[in-house]
Amino acid sequence: MVPWIFALAVTLPAAADAASPAPAAATAAAEDIDEIARALGADKQAAEAAQPEAPQAQAGAAGAAAFNPELSFVGDVAGAYFSDEPAQLGAHDPNHTGFTFRQLELGVRSNVDPYFRFESFIVFTAEGVEVEEAVAATTSLPANLQLRAGKFFTAFGRINNRHPHAWEFIDAPLVTATFFGMHGNGGVGVEPSVLVPLPWYTEVVASVIEPDADAIEPFAVEDTEIERFDRLMYMTAVKQFWDLGSDWGLGLGVSGLQGPGPMLGDRTYVGGVDMHLKYRPVSGGDDSSSVVLQGEWLGRRRTVADLVSRDSGYYAQLTYHWDRRWSAGVRTERLSAQSPVLELHEDEGEDEHGHTHVEVPGDHARLREAVQLTFAPTEFSQLRLQQNRDRIPGRDEPLWGTMLNLEIAIGAHGAHSY
Amino acid sequence: MKKPFFLVCAFLMLAAPAFAEVRVAATIPTLAALAREVGGAQVTVEALSLPTQDPHFVDARPSLAVTLNRADLLVMAGLQLEIGWLPVLQNGARNPKILPGGDGLLDCSTVAKLKEVATGPVDRAKGDIHPGGNPHYLTDPQNAKLCAAAIAAALARIDAAHAAEYRKNAQAFSADLDAKIAGWEKRMAAVRGASVVVYHRSWIYLLDWLGLSEVGSLEPKPGIPPTPSHIAKLLGDMRAKNAKIILQESFYPDATSHLLADKTGATVIEIPGGPAAGKTYADWMDDLLNRIRTAATKP
């Protein structure tokens, strides 16, 4: 609490003065402060005198290791077969026939002090090392507020800020990987959020980030220097959740963002809705079984040079866990156009802004279906087999992909988001 | 749109003093039952999980974060029992009181008398083990007394105006339980030494207290489902030691237990992981002990 009060006191001196209970208290303050300073000085000396005994009592291996952050490693390796030239979009997707070292993710977590918590995910791949997330979050802001700052994935939709090991399928959805780039929507910035005081869960999240030029092609900026605010990306999301009895839960989200396009002056707008419906018979049935229906729809409007392009896509998936170890799922996806391929219709004129509107015919949609079967011996290991059928515009034959992924998790026990 | 929202907020603010009592959230139903007895009329208690739910695998439903957001006190079992879900809720709750280091967080494992505390190196090759000790310590009523006293102390710290009442309630609970413990021990003396098979190793405190002996567990290692070879060996052990009871929480699968029972004549006791809504800790223990006694004395 104290630093926030201090910050308020510094930024709002007039308000702080006004808040003083009575003028008498203000005039007495000077003498009081002298007294307080003397007392604090005496306390400090006393504390220093008492110091030598305390560390000795705490000494030992446990004392030295006590403040080490929590560490965890998640490793993913996959074998895959593709019937034709692969066209996977996610950064960690198996992307060729053969074996893929998808990632080794080092998670580092710790409370910093009574005011901040820190969390970082450092990802090792065949290409090198990348800090995917490194973010500090406040823990004690008033009014249900939280502020996060650092490098992070935004809270857009449902799957974007979840790491691949929390997904129900091996590869990233087409729509998010296309609209947000291979890694997802993230960058360096700040994210204020608030838990709205309503009887049901309602969280409003906003973020302002500088998009990561390397990782996020759709928003890549030519020069990384932010000279104008329109080179930043602004995201807002509202997330709600309702308990429908003890066995059912429904989550709904609405998200929107705007950010820079590929060239200076270009703008990109993305809107999305997401839903998550889960049935788990915790009130007396088989507690280890569950059925989850999850989907997201995203639409995008871009100005690229003089053109306005619109595209959209969705994924919808159904996952069934029939016991603690076994689960299976189906997923269907549609991406309306293979961005950034734009087809110009000659007969369409320019609008009042001088933009040429582009309609992409529906048969250019990319469609992909997947089924998966998962065996997880414990919470710490998992084997997943997935079969994709991918119908890509411009190809005569569907692309068939078969993937088998092994995942291990060691170190600190991670907690699972809903 | 804005006006109704403002009115709702204003209403909630005005309505707040009407719910001035202390709000307690407990991770498991047993701790919730203890908090209800100690808190009495001054507190409202919400359990984050049901007795029919495995406390290792509770979903971190966002609605539970709302419960924690409003909680003045979070009572947890600790020893990493809730590690798979509680940290997500604590971090999402925007309530510094119930975070580690906060005034409103009580980890009952810090006051309970623990068993199976790891002394050597720990390794997950041994299964899902809890290095700090076996977290199912509330099956020993002595630990229930210790936890009730700790809850009373935490409530007294948070709500000093009713401190005396909380202490009085805890003392009354303790005295009442002491009388019941004497009765239970007397009643269970007849079955002392009986052999029991468990599904998960969550009954060690109860078995030690009553002098029952654990023949083995259906899980070959904690958290690992039964395997044919392990069950075959367990069947032999059950026959050799005349085990008459298979004890398990109702949320574990029971097909294998019933198979073993059919082959050995043992009784499967499936009991919820804690008191059902409206029941006390003593009700739950009484039911459990009656069923054990009946099964153990069955000819």
Side-chain angles (χ1 to χ4, degrees), chain B residues 153-169:
Chain B
L155 286 172
R157 201 173 57 228
I158 292 165
D159 178 20
H162 299 99
E165 199 177 327
Y166 298 133
R167 291 208 185 86
K168 204 180 97 212
N169 289 348

Side-chain angles (χ1 to χ4, degrees), chain A residues 222-342:
Chain A
E222 290 166 324
D223 51 311
T224 49
E225 230 172 286
I226 300 288
E227 288 168 352
R228 290 158 41 181
F229 287 123
D230 66 0
R231 306 310 281 164
L232 297 172
M233 184 191 294
Y234 303 87
M235 195 287 307
T236 311
V238 180
K239 294 164 187 296
Q240 301 194 81
F241 177 84
W242 294 271
D243 272 326
L244 309 172
S246 15
D247 295 349
W248 291 83
L250 173 67
L252 292 177
V254 183
S255 316
L257 69 78
Q258 63 150 306
M263 284 187 283
L264 198 68
D266 294 348
R267 298 303 289 165
T268 300
Y269 302 86
V270 184
V273 288
D274 60 273
M275 73 87 74
H276 180 266
L277 179 67
K278 182 167 185 173
Y279 170 71
R280 184 174 168 190
V282 295
S283 64
D286 180 2
D287 171 48
S288 61
S289 68
S290 65
V291 184
V292 181
L293 177 66
Q294 179 182 326
E296 290 187 50
W297 179 91
L298 285 82
R300 172 168 68 164
R301 180 186 185 276
R302 286 191 295 168
T303 54
V304 181
D306 275 347
L307 302 176
V308 175
S309 98
R310 285 189 170 86
D311 51 2
S312 65
Y314 67 80
Y315 74 87
Q317 63 190 40
L318 185 70
T319 319
Y320 173 46
H321 284 254
W322 60 92
D323 66 18
R324 199 72 72 203
R325 286 181 150 176
W326 287 93
S327 64
V330 292
R331 181 180 70 183
T332 178
E333 299 178 77
R334 185 179 191 278
L335 184 63
S336 75
Q338 199 179 348
S339 301
V341 174
L342 302 172

